[in-house]
Amino acid sequence: MDVVISGASVAGLTTAHLLASAGHAVTVVERAQAPRQGGVAVDVRGAAVDVARRMGLLDAIASARVTYEDRFDFVDPDGRVQATIRPNIDLYDSPDDIEISRDALSDILRGSVPDAVRFVYGSWIEHVTESAAGVSVELHGRGTVRADLVVGADGMHSRVRQLVFGPEEQYLHHLGLYVAVLRRTSQGSGVHGSEVFNVPGRMLMLRGDGADCSALLGFRSERIDYDYRDVDQHKSMVADAFRDVTGWKVPAVLGEVDRSDDLYFDSVSQIRMTSRVSGRAVLVGDAGYCASFFSGMGTSLAMVGAATLADVLDECDDVPSALRMYDARIAPVVEAAQDLAGDGAAILFPATPEAIAARNADLAVTASS
Ligand SMILES: Cc1cc2nc3c(=O)[nH]c(=O)nc-3n(C[C@H](O)[C@H](O)[C@H](O)COP(=O)(O)OP(=O)(O)OC[C@H]3O[C@@H](n4cnc5c(N)ncnc54)[C@H](O)[C@@H]3O)c2cc1C
């Protein structure tokens, strides 16, 4: 079977590995000119650990794990700790779960994709036309290819979803926050675990292992109309949101944001769809069921989704029927993961000075009781 996958990140690479290993002819189209770097640590949890094992990658992924201390220290403008939580006691299902830098995981997945897979960087799907003969897939600047299956693994702002299922507005549920991630900051020497500074509705988090440290800036906002590919615009949005903040390390980190060349910026949102399949097209990962930055499940869902797709295609020769099976199997997994997004914002992004003080008082009491 000929398969075209849009997107070469976790969902696309896992799908490419599993479908090519099952004997299918796979082409991966990635909009970026080269593999995209950036982001901080992501989690391989629960059933995704089994997917990694099945791919023969568990040892490689486990040995690249990062070991941040499981604590969040909430600091005041002078960096003095006001309260502390140790979230992983509740967050992780099992000690087998793995936290790994997104870049390391992507490198491992990419390195595991069989040589027969064709990668097309710097292109994207312009049109898909389905007929009895299969799907005709027009690639930007690269002509047209025929496929039996088109996989949209192209993230929260999926092109395949837009082409096959309709505009993003129908599916994207904004959770009221935006985040910007700097893979490395020079401001985190000595940070073990996470240090968090808040002003109302805004947060700077430094997360490090004592040597390497990343920075995450987030702010509450209604949905903003912006170009999600325009990095200069992202930098301006972050600068505007923090313009009046002088406490702790905010001004220094803002300077690094301005100079960075791998800033990751997006809204904290979920993609909610009643069906992620149509004919010979299917969505995998954030494209079909983004659970949001704060669910801790995006990467695991993408891997489990890819494995579920590989399973149904193995079980059933008729592609549309197999895709309907995929949709039915992945739906409860997605629902459970999206429920996990919870109310992390209340702890990490208190909206008022009173809410910040109450959060700190609550956590201080919890810590001492
Ligand atoms: C650079 C980057 C940094 C990230 N950092 C973090 C982080 O710090 N923390 C976190 O929790 N999550 C982060 N994420 C999101 C995280 O990777 C996903 O939530 C999760 O791993 C599921 O992955 P995915 O493959 O479904 O989607 P994504 O990882 O979003 O991958 C989508 C891929 O599709 C490509 N693409 C987009 N549009 C098109 C198109 N039209 N045609 C072809 N290809 C296209 C993108 O370039 C990207 O490679 C980041 C994503 C990216 C791309």
Short mmCIF file of all heavy atoms in Angstrom, two decimals, residues 161-215:
data_model
loop_
_atom_site.label_atom_id
_atom_site.label_comp_id
_atom_site.label_asym_id
_atom_site.label_seq_id
_atom_site.Cartn_x
_atom_site.Cartn_y
_atom_site.Cartn_z
N ARG A 161 -6.11 18.19 8.08
CA ARG A 161 -7.42 18.38 8.73
C ARG A 161 -8.19 19.49 8.03
O ARG A 161 -9.39 19.36 7.75
CB ARG A 161 -7.22 18.72 10.21
CG ARG A 161 -8.53 18.69 11.01
CD ARG A 161 -8.34 19.12 12.45
NE ARG A 161 -7.86 20.47 12.52
CZ ARG A 161 -6.76 20.85 13.18
NH1 ARG A 161 -6.05 19.99 13.86
NH2 ARG A 161 -6.38 22.11 13.17
N GLN A 162 -7.49 20.56 7.72
CA GLN A 162 -8.16 21.69 7.06
C GLN A 162 -8.70 21.27 5.69
O GLN A 162 -9.84 21.59 5.33
CB GLN A 162 -7.15 22.83 6.91
CG GLN A 162 -7.75 24.11 6.40
CD GLN A 162 -6.71 24.95 5.66
OE1 GLN A 162 -5.52 24.90 5.97
NE2 GLN A 162 -7.16 25.69 4.69
N LEU A 163 -7.88 20.51 4.92
CA LEU A 163 -8.30 20.12 3.58
C LEU A 163 -9.45 19.13 3.59
O LEU A 163 -10.37 19.21 2.78
CB LEU A 163 -7.12 19.49 2.82
CG LEU A 163 -5.99 20.42 2.38
CD1 LEU A 163 -4.82 19.60 1.85
CD2 LEU A 163 -6.50 21.39 1.32
N VAL A 164 -9.39 18.17 4.52
CA VAL A 164 -10.35 17.06 4.47
C VAL A 164 -11.55 17.28 5.38
O VAL A 164 -12.67 16.89 5.05
CB VAL A 164 -9.64 15.73 4.83
CG1 VAL A 164 -10.63 14.57 4.86
CG2 VAL A 164 -8.50 15.44 3.87
N PHE A 165 -11.31 17.94 6.52
CA PHE A 165 -12.38 18.03 7.53
C PHE A 165 -12.93 19.44 7.72
O PHE A 165 -13.95 19.62 8.37
CB PHE A 165 -11.87 17.52 8.89
CG PHE A 165 -11.43 16.08 8.87
CD1 PHE A 165 -10.14 15.74 8.51
CD2 PHE A 165 -12.32 15.07 9.20
CE1 PHE A 165 -9.73 14.42 8.49
CE2 PHE A 165 -11.93 13.74 9.18
CZ PHE A 165 -10.62 13.41 8.82
N GLY A 166 -12.21 20.45 7.22
CA GLY A 166 -12.73 21.82 7.33
C GLY A 166 -11.88 22.69 8.24
O GLY A 166 -10.89 22.24 8.81
N PRO A 167 -12.28 23.97 8.38
CA PRO A 167 -11.44 24.96 9.05
C PRO A 167 -11.15 24.63 10.51
O PRO A 167 -11.95 24.03 11.22
CB PRO A 167 -12.26 26.25 8.98
CG PRO A 167 -13.45 25.97 8.15
CD PRO A 167 -13.55 24.51 7.90
N GLU A 168 -9.96 25.08 10.92
CA GLU A 168 -9.47 24.85 12.28
C GLU A 168 -10.47 25.31 13.35
O GLU A 168 -10.62 24.67 14.39
CB GLU A 168 -8.15 25.62 12.42
CG GLU A 168 -7.50 25.52 13.76
CD GLU A 168 -6.06 26.04 13.71
OE1 GLU A 168 -5.26 25.54 12.91
OE2 GLU A 168 -5.76 26.96 14.48
N GLU A 169 -11.16 26.43 13.08
CA GLU A 169 -12.07 27.01 14.08
C GLU A 169 -13.12 26.00 14.55
O GLU A 169 -13.62 26.08 15.66
CB GLU A 169 -12.81 28.24 13.51
CG GLU A 169 -11.92 29.43 13.18
CD GLU A 169 -11.00 29.16 11.99
OE1 GLU A 169 -11.47 28.65 10.97
OE2 GLU A 169 -9.80 29.45 12.10
N GLN A 170 -13.45 25.05 13.69
CA GLN A 170 -14.47 24.06 14.07
C GLN A 170 -13.98 23.11 15.16
O GLN A 170 -14.78 22.48 15.84
CB GLN A 170 -14.86 23.21 12.86
CG GLN A 170 -15.63 23.94 11.81
CD GLN A 170 -15.95 23.01 10.64
OE1 GLN A 170 -16.03 21.79 10.79
NE2 GLN A 170 -16.14 23.59 9.47
N TYR A 171 -12.66 22.97 15.26
CA TYR A 171 -12.11 21.89 16.09
C TYR A 171 -11.21 22.36 17.22
O TYR A 171 -10.98 21.62 18.17
CB TYR A 171 -11.33 20.91 15.20
CG TYR A 171 -12.16 20.40 14.05
CD1 TYR A 171 -11.88 20.78 12.74
CD2 TYR A 171 -13.25 19.58 14.28
CE1 TYR A 171 -12.65 20.33 11.68
CE2 TYR A 171 -14.03 19.12 13.23
CZ TYR A 171 -13.73 19.50 11.94
OH TYR A 171 -14.52 19.06 10.90
N LEU A 172 -10.65 23.57 17.09
CA LEU A 172 -9.67 24.01 18.08
C LEU A 172 -10.37 24.70 19.25
O LEU A 172 -11.10 25.67 19.05
CB LEU A 172 -8.66 24.95 17.42
CG LEU A 172 -7.46 25.33 18.30
CD1 LEU A 172 -6.18 25.38 17.48
CD2 LEU A 172 -7.68 26.69 18.97
N HIS A 173 -10.17 24.16 20.44
CA HIS A 173 -10.75 24.75 21.65
C HIS A 173 -9.64 25.39 22.45
O HIS A 173 -8.81 24.70 23.06
CB HIS A 173 -11.47 23.68 22.47
CG HIS A 173 -12.71 23.21 21.79
ND1 HIS A 173 -13.98 23.55 22.21
CD2 HIS A 173 -12.87 22.47 20.68
CE1 HIS A 173 -14.86 23.03 21.38
NE2 HIS A 173 -14.22 22.36 20.45
N HIS A 174 -9.62 26.71 22.44
CA HIS A 174 -8.57 27.46 23.11
C HIS A 174 -8.80 27.41 24.62
O HIS A 174 -9.90 27.68 25.09
CB HIS A 174 -8.61 28.90 22.59
CG HIS A 174 -7.62 29.81 23.23
ND1 HIS A 174 -6.28 29.54 23.25
CD2 HIS A 174 -7.78 30.99 23.88
CE1 HIS A 174 -5.65 30.52 23.88
NE2 HIS A 174 -6.54 31.40 24.27
N LEU A 175 -7.76 27.05 25.36
CA LEU A 175 -7.91 26.91 26.81
C LEU A 175 -7.48 28.17 27.56
O LEU A 175 -7.28 28.14 28.77
CB LEU A 175 -7.14 25.69 27.32
CG LEU A 175 -7.55 24.34 26.70
CD1 LEU A 175 -6.79 23.19 27.34
CD2 LEU A 175 -9.06 24.10 26.82
N GLY A 176 -7.29 29.27 26.82
CA GLY A 176 -7.10 30.56 27.49
C GLY A 176 -5.65 30.92 27.80
O GLY A 176 -5.40 31.87 28.54
N LEU A 177 -4.70 30.17 27.22
CA LEU A 177 -3.29 30.42 27.53
C LEU A 177 -2.44 30.33 26.26
O LEU A 177 -2.79 29.62 25.32
CB LEU A 177 -2.76 29.35 28.50
CG LEU A 177 -3.42 29.27 29.87
CD1 LEU A 177 -3.11 27.93 30.51
CD2 LEU A 177 -2.91 30.40 30.75
N TYR A 178 -1.30 31.04 26.31
CA TYR A 178 -0.27 30.89 25.28
C TYR A 178 1.04 30.56 25.96
O TYR A 178 1.29 31.05 27.07
CB TYR A 178 -0.14 32.19 24.46
CG TYR A 178 -1.31 32.38 23.53
CD1 TYR A 178 -2.49 32.98 23.97
CD2 TYR A 178 -1.25 31.91 22.23
CE1 TYR A 178 -3.58 33.11 23.13
CE2 TYR A 178 -2.34 32.04 21.37
CZ TYR A 178 -3.49 32.64 21.82
OH TYR A 178 -4.57 32.76 20.99
N VAL A 179 1.87 29.75 25.30
CA VAL A 179 3.19 29.44 25.87
C VAL A 179 4.28 29.61 24.83
O VAL A 179 4.07 29.36 23.64
CB VAL A 179 3.27 27.99 26.43
CG1 VAL A 179 2.42 27.84 27.67
CG2 VAL A 179 2.90 26.97 25.39
N ALA A 180 5.44 30.05 25.32
CA ALA A 180 6.64 30.14 24.49
C ALA A 180 7.73 29.36 25.20
O ALA A 180 7.89 29.49 26.42
CB ALA A 180 7.06 31.59 24.33
N VAL A 181 8.45 28.53 24.44
CA VAL A 181 9.47 27.68 25.05
C VAL A 181 10.83 27.99 24.45
O VAL A 181 10.99 27.99 23.23
CB VAL A 181 9.14 26.18 24.79
CG1 VAL A 181 10.27 25.30 25.30
CG2 VAL A 181 7.83 25.80 25.44
N LEU A 182 11.78 28.27 25.34
CA LEU A 182 13.19 28.43 24.93
C LEU A 182 13.92 27.18 25.36
O LEU A 182 13.96 26.86 26.55
CB LEU A 182 13.82 29.58 25.71
CG LEU A 182 13.89 30.96 25.13
CD1 LEU A 182 14.71 31.83 26.07
CD2 LEU A 182 14.52 30.95 23.75
N ARG A 183 14.49 26.49 24.40
CA ARG A 183 15.14 25.21 24.73
C ARG A 183 16.27 25.41 25.73
O ARG A 183 16.51 24.57 26.58
CB ARG A 183 15.68 24.61 23.43
CG ARG A 183 16.02 23.17 23.52
CD ARG A 183 16.07 22.56 22.15
NE ARG A 183 16.68 23.45 21.18
CZ ARG A 183 17.54 23.05 20.26
NH1 ARG A 183 17.90 21.80 20.21
NH2 ARG A 183 18.04 23.90 19.38
N ARG A 184 17.00 26.51 25.62
CA ARG A 184 18.10 26.76 26.56
C ARG A 184 18.08 28.20 27.03
O ARG A 184 17.91 29.11 26.23
CB ARG A 184 19.45 26.52 25.89
CG ARG A 184 19.79 25.09 25.88
CD ARG A 184 21.24 24.74 25.73
NE ARG A 184 21.26 23.28 25.60
CZ ARG A 184 21.02 22.65 24.47
NH1 ARG A 184 20.78 23.31 23.37
NH2 ARG A 184 21.02 21.33 24.43
N THR A 185 18.27 28.37 28.34
CA THR A 185 18.46 29.72 28.87
C THR A 185 19.74 29.74 29.68
O THR A 185 20.11 28.73 30.30
CB THR A 185 17.28 30.15 29.77
OG1 THR A 185 17.60 31.39 30.39
CG2 THR A 185 16.97 29.13 30.85
N SER A 186 20.38 30.90 29.69
CA SER A 186 21.60 31.03 30.50
C SER A 186 21.23 31.45 31.93
O SER A 186 22.10 31.63 32.77
CB SER A 186 22.51 32.10 29.89
OG SER A 186 21.83 33.35 29.96
N GLN A 187 19.92 31.61 32.17
CA GLN A 187 19.48 32.15 33.46
C GLN A 187 19.24 31.07 34.51
O GLN A 187 18.79 31.37 35.61
CB GLN A 187 18.18 32.95 33.26
CG GLN A 187 18.36 34.17 32.39
CD GLN A 187 19.39 35.11 32.97
OE1 GLN A 187 19.31 35.49 34.13
NE2 GLN A 187 20.38 35.46 32.17
N GLY A 188 19.52 29.81 34.16
CA GLY A 188 19.08 28.74 35.06
C GLY A 188 20.19 28.01 35.78
O GLY A 188 19.98 26.86 36.20
N SER A 189 21.34 28.65 35.97
CA SER A 189 22.41 27.87 36.61
C SER A 189 21.96 27.51 38.03
O SER A 189 21.43 28.34 38.77
CB SER A 189 23.72 28.64 36.62
OG SER A 189 23.66 29.65 37.56
N GLY A 190 22.13 26.25 38.35
CA GLY A 190 21.76 25.79 39.69
C GLY A 190 20.29 25.42 39.84
O GLY A 190 19.87 25.01 40.91
N VAL A 191 19.48 25.55 38.76
CA VAL A 191 18.08 25.16 38.89
C VAL A 191 17.97 23.63 38.80
O VAL A 191 18.35 23.03 37.80
CB VAL A 191 17.20 25.82 37.79
CG1 VAL A 191 15.78 25.28 37.86
CG2 VAL A 191 17.21 27.33 37.93
N HIS A 192 17.46 23.03 39.87
CA HIS A 192 17.21 21.58 39.89
C HIS A 192 15.71 21.41 40.00
O HIS A 192 15.14 21.74 41.03
CB HIS A 192 17.87 20.92 41.10
CG HIS A 192 19.35 20.82 40.98
ND1 HIS A 192 19.98 19.75 40.40
CD2 HIS A 192 20.32 21.68 41.34
CE1 HIS A 192 21.28 19.93 40.43
NE2 HIS A 192 21.52 21.11 40.98
N GLY A 193 15.05 20.91 38.97
CA GLY A 193 13.60 20.87 38.98
C GLY A 193 13.07 22.13 38.32
O GLY A 193 13.64 22.59 37.33
N SER A 194 12.00 22.70 38.88
CA SER A 194 11.39 23.86 38.24
C SER A 194 11.26 25.01 39.22
O SER A 194 10.86 24.81 40.36
CB SER A 194 9.99 23.50 37.74
OG SER A 194 10.06 22.46 36.81
N GLU A 195 11.60 26.21 38.74
CA GLU A 195 11.35 27.42 39.52
C GLU A 195 10.35 28.26 38.74
O GLU A 195 10.50 28.44 37.52
CB GLU A 195 12.65 28.18 39.75
CG GLU A 195 13.60 27.39 40.64
CD GLU A 195 14.85 28.17 41.03
OE1 GLU A 195 14.94 29.38 40.71
OE2 GLU A 195 15.73 27.56 41.65
N VAL A 196 9.34 28.74 39.45
CA VAL A 196 8.22 29.41 38.78
C VAL A 196 7.99 30.77 39.41
O VAL A 196 7.90 30.89 40.64
CB VAL A 196 6.92 28.57 38.93
CG1 VAL A 196 5.75 29.26 38.24
CG2 VAL A 196 7.11 27.17 38.40
N PHE A 197 7.90 31.78 38.54
CA PHE A 197 7.60 33.14 39.01
C PHE A 197 6.31 33.60 38.34
O PHE A 197 6.15 33.45 37.13
CB PHE A 197 8.75 34.08 38.64
CG PHE A 197 8.44 35.53 38.88
CD1 PHE A 197 8.20 35.99 40.17
CD2 PHE A 197 8.37 36.43 37.83
CE1 PHE A 197 7.89 37.33 40.41
CE2 PHE A 197 8.07 37.77 38.06
CZ PHE A 197 7.84 38.21 39.35
N ASN A 198 5.40 34.14 39.14
CA ASN A 198 4.13 34.62 38.60
C ASN A 198 3.92 36.10 38.85
O ASN A 198 4.27 36.61 39.91
CB ASN A 198 2.94 33.91 39.27
CG ASN A 198 2.79 32.48 38.83
OD1 ASN A 198 3.06 31.56 39.59
ND2 ASN A 198 2.36 32.28 37.60
N VAL A 199 3.35 36.76 37.87
CA VAL A 199 2.57 37.97 38.11
C VAL A 199 1.18 37.60 37.60
O VAL A 199 1.04 36.59 36.88
CB VAL A 199 3.14 39.21 37.37
CG1 VAL A 199 4.50 39.59 37.93
CG2 VAL A 199 3.22 38.97 35.89
N PRO A 200 0.14 38.34 37.95
CA PRO A 200 -1.20 37.88 37.60
C PRO A 200 -1.35 37.50 36.12
O PRO A 200 -1.05 38.30 35.23
CB PRO A 200 -2.08 39.07 37.98
CG PRO A 200 -1.36 39.68 39.14
CD PRO A 200 0.10 39.55 38.79
N GLY A 201 -1.78 36.26 35.90
CA GLY A 201 -2.04 35.78 34.54
C GLY A 201 -0.81 35.46 33.73
O GLY A 201 -0.92 35.10 32.55
N ARG A 202 0.37 35.56 34.33
CA ARG A 202 1.59 35.29 33.57
C ARG A 202 2.57 34.47 34.39
O ARG A 202 2.56 34.53 35.62
CB ARG A 202 2.24 36.60 33.12
CG ARG A 202 1.44 37.27 32.01
CD ARG A 202 1.73 38.72 31.89
NE ARG A 202 1.17 39.48 32.99
CZ ARG A 202 1.36 40.78 33.18
NH1 ARG A 202 2.12 41.45 32.35
NH2 ARG A 202 0.81 41.40 34.20
N MET A 203 3.43 33.75 33.69
CA MET A 203 4.35 32.85 34.38
C MET A 203 5.67 32.76 33.63
O MET A 203 5.69 32.68 32.40
CB MET A 203 3.74 31.45 34.43
CG MET A 203 4.65 30.41 35.04
SD MET A 203 4.13 28.73 34.64
CE MET A 203 4.73 28.59 32.96
N LEU A 204 6.76 32.75 34.37
CA LEU A 204 8.06 32.32 33.83
C LEU A 204 8.48 31.09 34.61
O LEU A 204 8.55 31.13 35.85
CB LEU A 204 9.12 33.41 33.98
CG LEU A 204 10.57 32.94 33.73
CD1 LEU A 204 10.76 32.41 32.31
CD2 LEU A 204 11.56 34.08 33.99
N MET A 205 8.74 30.00 33.90
CA MET A 205 9.23 28.79 34.56
C MET A 205 10.61 28.44 34.00
O MET A 205 10.81 28.42 32.78
CB MET A 205 8.29 27.61 34.27
CG MET A 205 8.77 26.30 34.90
SD MET A 205 7.87 24.86 34.27
CE MET A 205 6.24 25.18 34.85
N LEU A 206 11.56 28.20 34.89
CA LEU A 206 12.85 27.66 34.48
C LEU A 206 12.88 26.21 34.92
O LEU A 206 12.50 25.89 36.06
CB LEU A 206 14.00 28.43 35.14
CG LEU A 206 14.08 29.92 34.83
CD1 LEU A 206 15.34 30.52 35.45
CD2 LEU A 206 14.07 30.18 33.32
N ARG A 207 13.30 25.34 34.01
CA ARG A 207 13.29 23.90 34.34
C ARG A 207 14.65 23.34 33.97
O ARG A 207 15.08 23.44 32.81
CB ARG A 207 12.17 23.22 33.54
CG ARG A 207 11.96 21.77 33.88
CD ARG A 207 10.51 21.39 33.59
NE ARG A 207 10.27 19.97 33.66
CZ ARG A 207 10.17 19.28 34.80
NH1 ARG A 207 10.31 19.88 35.96
NH2 ARG A 207 9.92 17.99 34.78
N GLY A 208 15.34 22.79 34.97
CA GLY A 208 16.70 22.35 34.68
C GLY A 208 17.14 21.18 35.53
O GLY A 208 16.46 20.76 36.47
N ASP A 209 18.31 20.65 35.17
CA ASP A 209 18.87 19.52 35.92
C ASP A 209 20.18 19.92 36.60
O ASP A 209 21.02 19.08 36.91
CB ASP A 209 19.10 18.32 35.00
CG ASP A 209 20.08 18.64 33.87
OD1 ASP A 209 20.65 19.75 33.86
OD2 ASP A 209 20.28 17.76 33.01
N GLY A 210 20.36 21.23 36.80
CA GLY A 210 21.58 21.71 37.44
C GLY A 210 22.61 22.14 36.41
O GLY A 210 23.43 23.00 36.68
N ALA A 211 22.53 21.56 35.20
CA ALA A 211 23.48 21.92 34.15
C ALA A 211 22.75 22.63 33.02
O ALA A 211 23.01 23.78 32.68
CB ALA A 211 24.17 20.67 33.63
N ASP A 212 21.77 21.93 32.44
CA ASP A 212 21.02 22.45 31.31
C ASP A 212 19.69 23.01 31.81
O ASP A 212 19.08 22.41 32.69
CB ASP A 212 20.73 21.26 30.39
CG ASP A 212 20.83 21.65 28.94
OD1 ASP A 212 21.37 22.73 28.67
OD2 ASP A 212 20.35 20.87 28.11
N CYS A 213 19.24 24.12 31.24
CA CYS A 213 17.99 24.70 31.73
C CYS A 213 17.20 25.29 30.56
O CYS A 213 17.76 25.93 29.68
CB CYS A 213 18.30 25.78 32.76
SG CYS A 213 16.82 26.37 33.61
N SER A 214 15.89 25.05 30.56
CA SER A 214 15.01 25.65 29.56
C SER A 214 14.09 26.65 30.24
O SER A 214 13.96 26.66 31.47
CB SER A 214 14.19 24.56 28.85
OG SER A 214 13.49 23.82 29.81
N ALA A 215 13.47 27.50 29.43
CA ALA A 215 12.57 28.52 29.98
C ALA A 215 11.23 28.44 29.28
O ALA A 215 11.16 28.21 28.07
CB ALA A 215 13.17 29.92 29.77
#
